[in-house]
Amino acid sequence: MGEVNRRRFLERMTALTATAVAAPATLGAISNAGSRFPGATGAGSRAVAGRPDELNLPPAGRPQPADLTELTLAEAARLLRDGDVGAVELVEAYLARIGRWDLRYQAFNTVVSQAALEAARTADRTRGRAPLTGVPLAIKDNYFTAGVRTTANSFIFEDFVPDFDATSWARLRDAGAILLGKTQMGPLATTAASTPTGERTTVNAWAPHHDNVSPGGSSSGSATAVAARMAASSTGTQTGGSITNPSNAQGLTGIKPTMGRVSLQGILPLTYTRDHPGPLARDAVDAALMLQIMAGPDPADPRSLGLPPVPDYLGAVREDDGALTHPERGGAVRIGVLPGFLDEPEPPEDPGPDPDPDVDRIGSSFPRRERTQAAYRRDVATVEARRRMLATLEEMGAELVELDFPTHWETLTSFNFNNVRLPERSEIFLEHLRDDVRKFGVSLAPWINGLLLPAAEYVRGSRARLVLLREILDEVFGRCDLVTQTAPFPFDMVGLPLIGFPIGFETGSTGYPRPIGGMFGAEPYAEHHLLAVIAAYQRATDWHLRRPADPGELRPAEGDGGGPRGGADGSAGRDRSPGRYDLFDVMERGE
Amino acid sequence: MARRPTPPRSVTSSQEVTDEQLDAHVRTRLALLGVDLSVLPADDEEAPADQRRIMASARRFLRSTPEAIADFELDPMGPAPAIYPAEVSARNRG
């Protein structure tokens, strides 16, 4: 597949131009809801979910855990449906964990305790048939939530309260889900979570006492909330890795769907062409359940219209589906392995002593030498985990296909071509840039750079994305069904789906277990293939079942940086001394 | 369709443009748009953003990105721009 017929391609340009023109009207929904953001109404945002009550939840797979917050989303939904657990009971369990630990994790911007409990009481009273009836979720703070502050963690939207729900959240709500709260994120969906002025906030649930271990971004709070068992699942957005990176950083399964598969209506935009909403979940089955409900056409978002029908994701992750056989072509699923995926990292050169230890520690937990060695140990462990993962999949029947990079991969996935997105974000926020650049806090520079890329280069960069896509379709997916990825940007640039999932752990960098993630990409709208293979992989492994210890059970190591530790049980944390992310985890930050 | 990148033909490459020329370009462009950097501190490492770092970032951007993109030559009969590539491919299957 993948050959773009030139005549039909040109015919489609008319429709796509219409789409591009329509997009600002989508954004326009913001300002009538009281923001200073310019625009129109949110009338088109009503949920257009199909018939979620008909979804077939997966069968039970293990005994019910004593702690309800240990339940996966699918398990919780089934127990609630069968009356074995009450929604109030479940919401109270999550609120108790949030109350006890979120001062340390800082995963939430807003927690709506009373509204969540009231919704839970209603769910218990009415015993609705919708598949997520009574299930508590955490929603990233760039999704509109009617009546609940939606800030995108930015000065620009700090007082913004939308009067309608984002379509994808409305679908989840209509499926019975309960909003627990809004999750902390990188300012305006850039970088890992920090205050708009750059002070770190959310920590990685696996290293809550190590401020320099990135939680992944920008959906940092969404990942920490799920990993720390403060929500059953969560939503994120990805423009440059913001679902898959935090999923990898915190042992979760997150899927970034193909452009248009999930409506962007009612989500504060970072770019029009690369933002993708999707779930962060505990495993592939939960991700499939979330995506099944979030996905589908939305008249308010032209990008979601005219696409192939939404597949049966829940069917794809069922155990009896022979997941490592390609469902349409037959035969073994072919997994493409790109060059470098299994290359041993080179031992690092000695970076020398810290020039001024006092200065260096402002932005870093570790001295430079220790940091370099920790990164190397993590790279070594990552390659070993990738080898094990591929060997497991091969034993399960997958065929591994060694690939070369597509012809212009190196050039077209470079930093410079990735920058083609920048004028889009600058255009979206142009009025705010003209009003006061200080509103952009620590992340101002790319917004200014976006104003400096001439239109000719923007158009050429947009054309080049078509070259990249065609080469990926022909030279990669002409030979395989799924392909390994080491960075999210290439597939983010062309709108192809990605899944992030846990493939191992290492302890070298913090002294505590820390997840290692893998990432696969697929053809347009082949999310069901990604989910099927990863669900099968997770039936053969247990990485996705591991949970981080509570902060009180982890003793911070002597001299590990990151500021005061709060009380003896590790629960307090607002008094962590501020600091900024350094380059240690730069590839895990995303946007 | 795509040709391999070729060396720039311009007499002056972006590497030869001086900081002063780039600064003038950036400030002129921002002034034409009505974007004012002077509200930022001139040079303050502790501030979330300052003029020195923003201008340095802009110079790095201008010295790399526009030229790299311009150097990637495309056949005029090659792909028309499509801002949603994955959707284009799905809508043109078969």
Side-chain angles (χ1 to χ4, degrees), chain A residues 180-202:
Chain A
L180 273 179
K182 305 296 290 292
T183 55
Q184 169 70 330
M185 55 187 283
L188 292 171
T190 63
T191 188
S194 69
T195 65
T197 55
E199 293 167 4
R200 292 179 298 229
T201 54
T202 311

Side-chain angles (χ1 to χ4, degrees), chain A residues 268-500:
Chain A
L268 289 166
L270 180 59
T271 72
Y272 290 118
T273 66
R274 285 179 44 165
D275 295 353
H276 305 80
L280 293 88
R282 297 189 188 179
D283 58 29
V285 172
D286 282 5
L289 178 52
M290 288 284 284
L291 187 60
Q292 194 79 67
I293 295 167
M294 295 172 75
D298 174 8
D301 183 356
R303 291 163 289 196
S304 69
L305 303 177
L307 301 174
V310 177
D312 179 4
Y313 301 127
L314 285 171
V317 298
R318 281 184 193 285
E319 196 160 354
D320 58 358
D321 271 358
L324 293 189
T325 301
H326 193 282
E328 287 115 32
R329 194 193 68 249
V333 166
R334 300 167 305 174
I335 297 174
V337 182
L338 288 171
F341 188 70
L342 297 175
D343 285 359
E344 292 288 349
E346 292 287 330
E349 293 180 8
D350 184 351
D354 296 304
D356 181 342
D358 292 334
V359 171
D360 189 68
R361 283 169 192 274
I362 289 173
S364 166
S365 290
F366 308 119
R368 186 191 284 177
R369 278 180 167 141
E370 189 178 335
R371 200 163 68 227
T372 302
Q373 284 301 319
Y376 173 64
R377 286 194 297 270
R378 185 163 173 78
D379 288 346
V380 170
T382 298
V383 170
E384 180 54 35
R386 288 174 179 167
R387 278 207 187 93
R388 280 198 311 266
M389 180 264 290
L390 290 178
T392 300
L393 289 169
E394 194 171 27
E395 285 170 15
M396 294 168 63
E399 178 189 347
L400 304 184
V401 181
E402 198 172 335
L403 299 174
D404 288 327
F405 285 122
T407 307
H408 295 95
W409 177 270
E410 187 178 354
T411 300
L412 296 182
T413 64
S414 67
F415 176 78
N416 288 318
F417 278 84
N418 194 27
N419 278 342
V420 173
R421 76 197 189 285
L422 296 181
E424 296 179 29
R425 64 160 74 169
S426 302
E427 185 276 331
I428 292 168
F429 292 95
L430 187 54
E431 284 71 23
H432 294 283
L433 287 163
R434 298 174 79 174
D435 181 41
D436 188 346
V437 294
R438 288 172 295 189
K439 290 178 181 177
F440 293 82
V442 72
S443 57
L444 173 64
W447 265 275
I448 294 298
N449 293 345
L451 296 172
L452 303 174
L453 187 71
E457 283 89 328
Y458 178 79
V459 172
R460 178 155 295 189
S462 298
R463 296 180 69 203
R465 290 201 301 179
L466 265 292
V467 174
L468 176 62
L469 177 67
R470 192 156 86 173
E471 290 180 355
I472 292 173
L473 295 179
D474 292 348
E475 299 174 36
V476 173
F477 292 122
R479 297 187 58 206
C480 67
D481 306 306
L482 310 182
V483 65
T484 59
Q485 292 287 282
T486 56
F489 310 111
F491 275 39
D492 286 338
M493 290 167 73
V494 292
L496 295 180
L498 287 169
I499 192 165

